[in-house]
C-alpha cells in the first residue's frame, strides 16, 4: 500500500468513525435538526479536536499528512479504542505513544483538615487542569455548592465558562476568563494528550466562542498570587488577595487561599459568609440555607 493509498484509507477510517458517534454521546448540544449524514459533522469533529475545519476536511479527503499531535487529539475526539488508535497511527505512518496512566488525585487528610480550619477564608485545592479536588465551606458560600456538581465536571475553567452564577460573580469576567485559559494552556504542555484535557478543551471550544478564540491564541501564564474582584449576590463587592502554593508532595495539586485586609468591607463580607456557613452549612447556588427537616451538618468536599 503506497502513501497515497494510506492517506485515502485514513480519510475513510475517519469518516467511518465519526459516522458512529452522536452529538449527545460526545457532549455536544443536539438541536434536533435533521442531518444529511449519520453521526458527527466534519465541523463538529474539528471543534472537538481543536483544529480548523479545512485542515480536517483535507485529512478526510486524503490530501494531507497528519502530525502525531493532531492524530492524538483526533483519537480522543472520536473516542477510539486502543486497536483503532494503533490503526490510525499505522495509516498515518506514525508511532503511537501509549498514553501515560495518571493516578486519580487524592487530597491528603492534613490538607482537608487545613481547609476546615480556615473558617473565615475561602480556600480550594486544585489539581491537574484546574480540577477542583476539595474546598471549605466559605469557598462554597463564595462560589457555589461544589458538592452538587458531578465529580467529573468539577473543574474551575468549565464553571467559569458554563455556570451563569459563577460567571456573573466576577466583576471583570473577561479578564478572569482570559487568565484562566492562559493558565490551562500552560498546564497543557505537561500532558497535552491527556483525555480529560482533550475532552475539556473540545467541549468548551464548541460551547463558547471566546474560549475557542483565546485557546487558539496560545497565550500562557502561571499565577502564584494576584487580586480577584467579585460581586456576590448577597454580600456585595469583594476584593480579595489570592495566593497559591504547590503541595509539597504533589506538584499537580495547589492550595488556593483568598484573604482580605482586616477592617475593610471585603473582610467584613467574608466574616458574614463565614458566620452563615457556621450556622447553616448546607448551600444552594453558593448561598447558605437551613436544611429542611434535617439537623445541620458540616459538609465536606473532595474527590
Amino acid at each position: 500500500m503506497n502513501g497515497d493509498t494510506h492517506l485515502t484509507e485514513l480519510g475513510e477510517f475517519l469518516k467511518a468513525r465519526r459516522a458512529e458517534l452522536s452529538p449527545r454521546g460526545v457532549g455536544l448540544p443536539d438541536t434536533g435538526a435533521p442531518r444529511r449524514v449519520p453521526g458527527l459533522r466534519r465541523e463538529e469533529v474539528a471543534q472537538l479536536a481543536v483544529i480548523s475545519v479545512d485542515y480536517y476536511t483535507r485529512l478526510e479527503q486524503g490530501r494531507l499528512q497528519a502530525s502525531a499531535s493532531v492524530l492524538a487529539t483526533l483519537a480522543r475526539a472520536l473516542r477510539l479504542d486502543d486497536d483503532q488508535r494503533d490503526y490510525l497511527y499505522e495509516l498515518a505512518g506514525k508511532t503511537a505513544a501509549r498514553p501515560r496512566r495518571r493516578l486519580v488525585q487524592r487530597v491528603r487528610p492534613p490538607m482537608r483538615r487545613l481547609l476546615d480550619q480556615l473558617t473565615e477564608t475561602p480556600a480550594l485545592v486544585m489539581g491537574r487542569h484546574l480540577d477542583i479536588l476539595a474546598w471549605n465551606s466559605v469557598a462554597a458560600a463564595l462560589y457555589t455548592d461544589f458538592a452538587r456538581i458531578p465529580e467529573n465536571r468539577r473543574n474551575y475553567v468549565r464553571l467559569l465558562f458554563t455556570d451563569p452564577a459563577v460567571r456573573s460573580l466576577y466583576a471583570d469576567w473577561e479578564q478572569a476568563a482570559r487568565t484562566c485559559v492562559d493558565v490551562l494552556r500552560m498546564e497543557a504542555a505537561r500532558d497535552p494528550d491527556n483525555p480529560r484535557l482533550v475532552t475539556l478543551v473540545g467541549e468548551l471550544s464548541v460551547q463558547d466562542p471566546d474560549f475557542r478564540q483565546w485557546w487558539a491564541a496560545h497565550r500562557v501564564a502561571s499565577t502564584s498570587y494576584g487580586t480577584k474582584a467579585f460581586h456576590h449576590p448577597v454580600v456585595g463587592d469583594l476584593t480579595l488577595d489570592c495566593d497559591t502554593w504547590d503541595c509539597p508532595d504533589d506538584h499537580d495539586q495547589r492550595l488556593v487561599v483568598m484573604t482580605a485586609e482586616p477592617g475593610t468591607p471585603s473582610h467584613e463580607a467574608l466574616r458574614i459568609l463565614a458566620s452563615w456557613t457556621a450556622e447553616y452549612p448546607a448551600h444552594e447556588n453558593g448561598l447558605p440555607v437551613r436544611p429542611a427537616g434535617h439537623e445541620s451538618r458540616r459538609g465536606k468536599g473532595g474527590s
Side-chain angles (χ1 to χ4, degrees), residues 180-253:
C180 203
V181 173
D182 296 347
V183 172
L184 183 64
R185 172 64 81 172
M186 174 71 83
E187 291 215 348
R190 301 179 186 177
D191 193 6
D193 298 334
N194 183 283
R196 285 178 63 88
L197 174 66
V198 172
T199 299
L200 175 66
V201 171
E203 174 188 329
L204 295 180
S205 295
V206 170
Q207 295 183 3
D208 195 285
D210 287 328
F211 180 91
R212 184 164 61 248
Q213 176 185 348
W214 297 337
W215 183 259
H218 288 265
R219 292 176 50 185
V220 295
S222 60
T223 57
S224 56
Y225 64 91
T227 302
K228 293 183 180 292
F230 300 100
H231 184 74
H232 195 274
V234 173
V235 298
D237 294 335
L238 301 93
T239 300
L240 304 179
D241 293 319
C242 181
D243 292 275
T244 304
W245 291 275
D246 288 336
C247 294
D249 61 343
D250 186 349
H251 292 297
D252 283 340
Q253 293 188 23

Side-chain angles (χ1 to χ4, degrees), residues 49-177:
V50 199
I51 58 178
S52 72
V53 178
D54 178 67
Y55 187 99
Y56 179 74
T57 299
R58 286 187 288 162
L59 284 177
E60 277 203 358
Q61 292 174 345
R63 298 190 291 119
L64 185 67
Q65 181 70 263
S67 67
S69 61
V70 168
L71 292 174
T73 60
L74 285 173
R76 303 301 182 193
L78 294 171
R79 307 298 196 265
L80 302 186
D81 61 29
D82 287 345
D83 289 341
Q84 292 171 331
R85 185 172 176 273
D86 289 343
Y87 181 68
L88 177 70
Y89 276 78
E90 179 69 24
L91 290 176
K94 308 290 184 183
T95 301
R98 290 291 181 184
R100 293 175 292 169
R101 293 192 178 274
R102 307 298 297 269
L103 297 177
V104 175
Q105 291 185 286
R106 301 294 181 188
V107 178
R108 294 185 302 120
M111 186 64 74
R112 293 184 185 273
R113 291 195 295 270
L114 175 59
L115 289 175
D116 285 339
Q117 290 168 12
L118 294 171
T119 56
E120 294 187 358
T121 301
L124 305 161
V125 175
M126 290 193 184
R128 291 187 289 267
H129 314 133
L130 280 71
D131 286 339
I132 299 171
L133 305 180
W135 59 92
N136 65 3
S137 58
V138 192
L142 176 64
Y143 282 99
T144 190
D145 184 4
F146 299 111
R148 295 179 182 270
I149 303 169
E151 182 180 343
N152 65 350
R153 300 188 64 78
R154 204 179 289 152
N155 177 275
Y156 185 77
V157 189
R158 180 181 279 113
L159 289 175
L160 192 58
F161 278 90
T162 65
D163 189 305
V166 174
R167 188 174 180 130
S168 64
L169 183 65
Y170 283 85
D172 187 344
W173 176 85
E174 181 173 336
Q175 180 183 6

